[in-house]
Amino acid sequence: MSISKTEREQGKVFAPKFDANGLLTAVVVNAANREVLMVAFMDAEALDKTLDSGLAHFHSRSRGKLWLKGETSGNVLRVGKIMVDCDQDALVLECSPAGPTCHTGATRCFYRKLEDGVLQPVNT
Amino acid sequence: MSISKTEREQGKVFAPKFDANGLLTAVVVNAANREVLMVAFMDAEALDKTLDSGLAHFHSRSRGKLWLKGETSGNVLRVGKIMVDCDQDALVLECSPAGPTCHTGATRCFYRKLEDGVLQPVNT
């Protein structure tokens, strides 16, 4: 959708801005405590499916296909509020996770911190 | 750096995984209240500058160059903790912002929520 910069930044029209690969960035936070659970990408299809179903869908860059988060594990992400950034190329999804979000079994994908050049596990 | 999947996901070695465009995703959260302030991208240079200076640097995709956040506005982001995700292609930067983070003057770039297909301003 072609809209002006002012409309894009200040308006009420949702005009998601996909990048050259047809993707925007989606940051998933836990609605309960605001922790960042994961970061993934959405194409138009994944965004539509998310809005239709209320469950977070993404576009897998490695597999090149639509991906319902939790499709196999059951650990779906029920989407509450969706926040949109100034230029509409990134979303924050406030979600209620049905289980651990990370495929490793961790509560969240961000289970390590960088300290003096080395990764250290943190409580998750 | 070539490391195994297990090392990448469970190890202590920081081996940032840049995408085909040489970028990884950086999510900036306010260390004070965990609100997501902005989302941007880092190439190796931006990451190095961030680690060296303690101030968030990014790679501007539109301008194709290194960008010290706050370079002109003075609203720099002092980086506290850096969290790294499972496959090391995304970072969460817990920051102390020197001022409003968004170029629009808003505290954070995520100042609107999507509701019934329309964007509504939220308190920032």
Side-chain angles (χ1 to χ4, degrees):
Chain A
M1 193 185 307
S2 178
I3 60 172
S4 73
K5 187 167 187 284
T6 304
E7 285 173 313
R8 175 174 296 284
E9 294 184 351
Q10 305 300 336
K12 290 183 178 295
V13 175
F14 181 47
K17 188 175 166 187
F18 299 97
D19 70 10
N21 298 313
L23 301 175
L24 50 73
T25 310
V27 178
V28 177
V29 305
N30 188 335
N33 60 14
R34 279 190 172 156
E35 278 187 339
V36 177
L37 296 173
M38 63 178 287
V39 172
F41 297 89
M42 286 181 170
D43 59 2
E45 183 187 17
L47 177 58
D48 284 348
K49 294 273 189 190
T50 299
L51 295 175
D52 285 350
S53 67
L55 297 176
H57 289 68
F58 304 107
H59 177 83
S60 166
R61 295 190 297 177
S62 55
R63 287 173 288 156
K65 56 179 276 200
L66 183 73
W67 162 45
L68 164 63
K69 167 67 190 160
E71 193 166 18
T72 51
S73 66
N75 297 328
V76 294
L77 295 164
R78 190 159 296 281
V79 180
K81 205 171 3 177
I82 298 181
M83 306 291 296
V84 182
D85 80 339
C86 47
D87 56 359
Q88 303 201 34
D89 66 357
L91 306 178
V92 169
L93 313 178
E94 292 189 10
C95 293
S96 301
T101 296
C102 187
H103 74 284
T104 61
T107 306
R108 49 184 167 139
C109 295
F110 297 90
Y111 49 81
R112 291 173 296 183
K113 67 176 170 181
L114 180 61
E115 207 167 66
D116 299 326
V118 175
L119 301 178
Q120 301 288 356
V122 295
N123 289 335
T124 54
Chain B
M1 193 185 304
S2 178
I3 60 172
S4 72
K5 188 168 186 283
T6 304
E7 285 173 314
R8 175 174 296 284
E9 294 185 350
Q10 305 300 336
K12 290 183 178 293
V13 175
F14 181 47
K17 189 175 166 187
F18 299 97
D19 70 9
N21 298 313
L23 301 175
L24 49 73
T25 310
V27 178
V28 176
V29 305
N30 188 334
N33 60 14
R34 279 191 172 157
E35 279 187 337
V36 178
L37 296 173
M38 63 178 288
V39 172
F41 297 90
M42 284 181 170
D43 60 1
E45 183 188 18
L47 178 58
D48 284 346
K49 293 272 188 192
T50 299
L51 295 175
D52 286 349
S53 67
L55 298 176
H57 289 67
F58 303 106
H59 177 83
S60 167
R61 296 190 297 177
S62 55
R63 288 173 286 157
K65 56 179 274 201
L66 183 73
W67 161 46
L68 164 62
K69 167 66 191 160
E71 194 166 19
T72 51
S73 67
N75 297 328
V76 295
L77 296 164
R78 189 159 297 280
V79 180
K81 204 169 9 176
I82 297 181
M83 307 290 296
V84 182
D85 80 339
C86 47
D87 56 359
Q88 304 201 34
D89 66 357
L91 306 178
V92 169
L93 312 178
E94 292 189 11
C95 293
S96 300
T101 296
C102 187
H103 74 284
T104 61
T107 306
R108 49 183 166 139
C109 295
F110 296 90
Y111 50 79
R112 292 172 295 183
K113 68 176 169 181
L114 181 61
E115 207 166 66
D116 300 326
V118 175
L119 300 179
Q120 301 287 358
V122 294
N123 291 334
T124 54

